[in-house]
């Protein structure tokens, strides 16, 4: 999938709590776009119900991302992209902008909700990033059960791997990574991202979604960001931290999103998408890909906005 480096973006002010989710930068067919946007809306609704009842940004972000991980349409949790061996190798990360605590897992085998494990690592506070079998052992020790891999692998994921194998590519963009940024009623910001990565990726390949600063970053003093796109480009740019630092230096949320995506397109030849919320409550998304499904809600809006 390549390119379109033209930036498309959207932003809106919000007071009180706010939430934005994405269902991955990519190239979804126009007839399937509404389905992807509806999944994002449903994830936002989970967060909205919780935020209305006074939930923390951490709880709301986890609820939204778990809903997306459960939806086989997206490349996260059930339905995630398969690696070169036809196995799940899941990446996820979450960061709290109030405490600057973070939790992340990478190359995790089949667990239903990678984001919940990343959250448990954040809550535990001793480590930030756990990988592979070690992450699985840690998760089981902390009350998570491994899933039957077959129950999380969909026919669509198998078919995508088959076509990558046939084409001889070494890893191809799957689209459908998921992410969420939230501002709760106390002004706390959280960012979270979850993915299966690229289709047919080599064993051991880790993308930006697991890496704090690249795929995910949050700081109450500036903003919160979740990215999706060319993982290697977003890693090289340390893109989520770059967007948050751009907000800290006085740029609006939407200026920061545009700056980072354009920088990645121009200097790293990478395309993708970003969602962001700032400390003052503006929300924004941008993409340099043809599509990125998204949905957003806020305390002072009459309606949930969505699109692809
Ligand atoms: N950034 C993800 C990765 O490289 C893929 C995506 O966002 O679609 O693993």
């Amino acid at each position: 999938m390549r390119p379109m480096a033209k930036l498309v973006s959207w932003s809106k002010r919000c007071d009180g709590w706010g939430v934005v989710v994405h269902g991955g930068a990519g190239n979804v067919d126009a007839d399937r776009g509404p389905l992807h946007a509806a999944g994002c809306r449903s994830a936002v609704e989970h967060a909205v119900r919780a935020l209305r009842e006074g939930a923390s940004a951490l709880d709301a972000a986890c609820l939204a991302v778990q809903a997306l991980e459960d939806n086989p349409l997206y490349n996260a949790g059930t339905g995630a992209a398969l690696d070169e061996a036809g196995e799940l190798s899941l990446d996820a990360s979450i960061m709290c902008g109030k405490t600057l605590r973070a939790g992340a897992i990478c190359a995790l085998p089949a667990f239903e909700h990678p984001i919940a494990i990343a959250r448990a690592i954040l809550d535990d506070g001793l480590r930030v990033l756990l990988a592979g079998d070690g992450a699985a052992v840690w998760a089981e020790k902390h009350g998570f059960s491994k899933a039957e891999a077959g129950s999380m692998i969909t026919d669509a994921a198998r078919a995508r791997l088959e076509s990558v194998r046939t084409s001889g590519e070494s890893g191809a963009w799957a689209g459908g990574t998921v992410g969420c940024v939230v501002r709760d009623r106390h002004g706390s910001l959280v960012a979270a991202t979850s993915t299966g990565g690229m289709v047919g990726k080599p064993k051991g390949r880790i993308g930006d979604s697991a890496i704090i600063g690249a795929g995910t970053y949050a700081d109450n003093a500036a903003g919160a960001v979740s990215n999706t796109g060319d993982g290697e480009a977003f890693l090289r740019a340390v893109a989520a931290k770059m967007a948050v630092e751009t907000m800290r230096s006085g740029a609006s949320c939407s200026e920061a999103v545009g700056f980072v995506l354009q920088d990645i397109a121009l200097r790293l030849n990478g395309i993708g998408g970003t969602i962001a919320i700032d400390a003052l409550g503006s929300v924004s998304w941008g993409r340099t890909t043809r599509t990125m499904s998204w949905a957003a809600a806020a305390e002072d809006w009459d309606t949930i906005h969505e699109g692809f």
Side-chain angles (χ1 to χ4, degrees):
M1 188 194 74
R2 193 124 307 248
M4 148 150 186
K6 185 167 131 345
L7 175 71
V8 177
S9 63
W10 179 90
S11 69
K12 194 168 163 64
R13 291 268 326 148
C14 67
D15 274 332
W17 53 257
V19 50
V20 191
V21 308
H22 70 75
N27 195 9
V28 173
D29 289 340
D31 58 336
R32 289 180 61 78
L35 204 62
H36 284 251
C40 288
R41 165 184 283 261
S42 160
V44 157
E45 283 167 352
H46 280 84
V48 165
R49 274 194 292 276
L51 288 163
R52 279 200 182 121
E53 285 165 16
S56 68
L58 271 171
D59 286 342
C62 281
L63 283 169
V65 172
Q66 283 184 207
L68 293 162
E69 288 175 338
D70 284 339
N71 189 331
L73 211 55
Y74 303 103
N75 173 17
T78 300
L82 303 174
D83 66 15
E84 62 184 357
E87 291 168 352
L88 290 166
S89 177
L90 306 167
D91 294 348
S93 59
I94 184 164
M95 181 160 186
C96 170
K98 180 179 172 192
T99 58
L100 301 183
R101 279 189 175 200
I105 51 88
C106 59
L108 183 79
F111 281 84
E112 264 180 40
H113 296 126
I115 201 67
I117 301 171
R119 162 76 190 272
I121 294 170
L122 178 154
D123 286 338
D124 182 60
L126 281 177
R127 316 277 169 235
V128 171
L129 173 62
L130 295 175
D133 291 343
V137 168
W138 189 96
E140 286 183 310
K141 258 195 207 152
H142 289 77
F144 296 92
S145 304
K146 238 186 204 157
E148 190 53 55
S151 71
M152 290 179 62
I153 296 178
T154 58
D155 289 343
R158 282 194 192 94
R160 282 201 303 265
L161 176 62
E162 208 35 58
S163 85
V164 167
R165 280 177 174 159
T166 311
S167 74
E169 281 175 88
S170 159
W173 197 332
T177 289
V178 307
C180 179
V181 292
V182 178
R183 177 178 191 269
D184 67 22
R185 58 161 67 153
H186 304 293
S188 265
L189 306 180
V190 164
T193 313
S194 180
T195 190
M198 300 177 80
V199 188
K201 63 188 177 183
K203 278 277 169 214
R205 183 268 182 186
I206 310 298
D208 60 316
S209 311
I211 305 301
I212 295 299
T216 303
Y217 202 80
D219 182 341
N220 276 11
V225 168
S226 166
N227 286 324
T228 166
D230 276 327
E232 279 66 15
F234 281 78
L235 277 165
R236 289 185 184 118
V238 199
K241 175 76 166 158
M242 195 213 285
V244 168
E245 289 310 312
T246 306
M247 288 184 250
R248 193 197 306 282
S249 67
S252 71
C253 189
S254 92
E255 284 166 342
V257 165
F259 170 71
V260 168
L261 289 173
Q262 278 170 330
D263 190 59
I264 289 172
L266 286 173
R267 298 200 303 143
L268 293 161
N269 192 29
I271 53 176
T274 296
I275 55 172
I277 188 161
D278 69 26
L280 303 171
S282 280
V283 296
S284 178
W285 61 259
R287 59 173 163 84
T288 48
T289 45
R290 207 174 63 70
T291 64
M292 180 180 74
S293 55
W294 63 278
E299 192 165 1
D300 63 331
W301 300 351
D302 301 336
T303 180
I304 294 177
H305 296 269
E306 70 184 69
F308 60 92

